[in-house]
């Protein structure tokens, strides 16, 4: 039973890693992009209102966009089932990008309110520690190191090619 539990745990981590890597990669730049919207007066007022939400209002504000994107994602799966793979892929990718941008920005705005909830204040540091440990294991893996070397090599080649043109 212990071996089965370990196997299922590793399988779960393996399935979560691509999602977590995307979130990690996109969190900061997408959040910065969403923050630029605060230059618009209407958006700035919305952000100001979100910052003042009580803790449970912050929970609702944080999860509402994810719920609102659910029909879009379901429509993407419908398109996939109907044989429109490229349309489905583009729709799902766009929903993921927009969803990550919105959630990243919202989290920055409501984190202080969320930390007032005892269960969140207890859970979030544990989640962060677990996620950071998973990323550390991924970054130490041979495939990750090989991909980094390849990326750095392509980047050096691109810079050199741009200098010579």
């Amino acid at each position: 039973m212990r071996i089965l539990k370990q196997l299922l745990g590793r399988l779960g981590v393996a399935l979560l890693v691509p999602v977590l890597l995307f979130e990690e990669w996109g969190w900061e730049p997408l959040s910065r992009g969403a923050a630029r919207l605060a230059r618009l007066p209407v958006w700035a007022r919305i952000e100001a209102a979100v910052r003042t939400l009580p803790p449970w209002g912050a929970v609702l504000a944080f999860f509402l966009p994810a719920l609102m994107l659910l029909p879009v994602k379901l429509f993407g799966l419908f398109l996939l089932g109907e044989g429109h793979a490229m349309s489905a892929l583009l729709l799902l990718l766009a929903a993921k990008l927009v969803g990550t941008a919105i959630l990243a920005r919202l989290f920055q705005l409501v984190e202080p309110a969320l930390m007032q909830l005892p269960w969140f204040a207890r859970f979030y540091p544990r989640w962060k520690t677990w996620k950071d440990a998973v990323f550390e294991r991924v970054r130490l893996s041979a495939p990750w190191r090989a991909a980094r070397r390849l990326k750095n090599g392509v980047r050096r080649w691109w810079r050199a090619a741009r200098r010579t043109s």
Side-chain angles (χ1 to χ4, degrees):
M1 192 62 164
R2 192 178 94 242
I3 293 172
L4 180 61
K5 185 177 178 182
Q6 287 176 338
L7 182 64
L8 288 175
R10 288 182 183 180
L11 178 64
V13 168
L15 292 173
L16 271 176
V17 164
V19 174
L20 293 175
L21 286 173
F22 177 82
E23 297 284 335
E24 184 75 9
W25 164 82
W27 195 262
E28 288 298 320
L30 292 172
S31 176
R32 282 193 305 271
R36 287 188 200 117
L37 290 173
R39 295 177 188 158
L40 302 170
V42 164
W43 199 267
R45 284 193 298 275
I46 292 169
E47 283 197 3
V50 168
R51 275 192 184 96
T52 64
L53 289 172
W56 283 103
V59 170
L60 181 62
F62 188 65
F63 287 108
L64 192 60
L67 290 174
M68 290 173 61
L69 282 173
L70 187 60
V72 175
K73 293 176 180 180
L74 290 174
F75 183 63
L77 292 176
F78 170 78
L79 288 174
L80 187 62
E82 292 293 312
H84 303 284
M86 186 56 71
S87 297
L89 179 65
L90 291 173
L91 180 64
L92 292 170
L93 184 60
K96 186 66 178 161
L97 286 170
V98 169
T100 300
I102 291 170
L103 288 178
R105 183 63 182 154
L106 275 173
F107 187 75
Q108 288 177 336
L109 298 172
V110 300
E111 183 182 7
L114 291 174
M115 293 304 271
Q116 293 176 23
L117 297 168
W119 61 269
F120 188 86
R122 187 172 51 252
F123 168 76
Y124 183 68
R126 290 178 186 171
W127 160 254
K128 251 330 237 150
T129 300
W130 178 83
K131 186 181 77 152
D132 292 345
V134 168
F135 283 144
E136 187 60 30
R137 285 191 357 230
V138 168
R139 287 183 188 112
L140 293 174
S141 70
W144 182 269
R145 291 192 322 259
R148 288 291 284 193
R149 284 192 300 274
L150 177 64
K151 179 184 120 182
N152 291 337
V154 168
R155 186 177 281 166
R156 283 191 298 275
W157 172 83
W158 179 252
R159 286 181 186 146
R162 284 183 33 206
R163 274 184 256 143
T164 59
S165 58

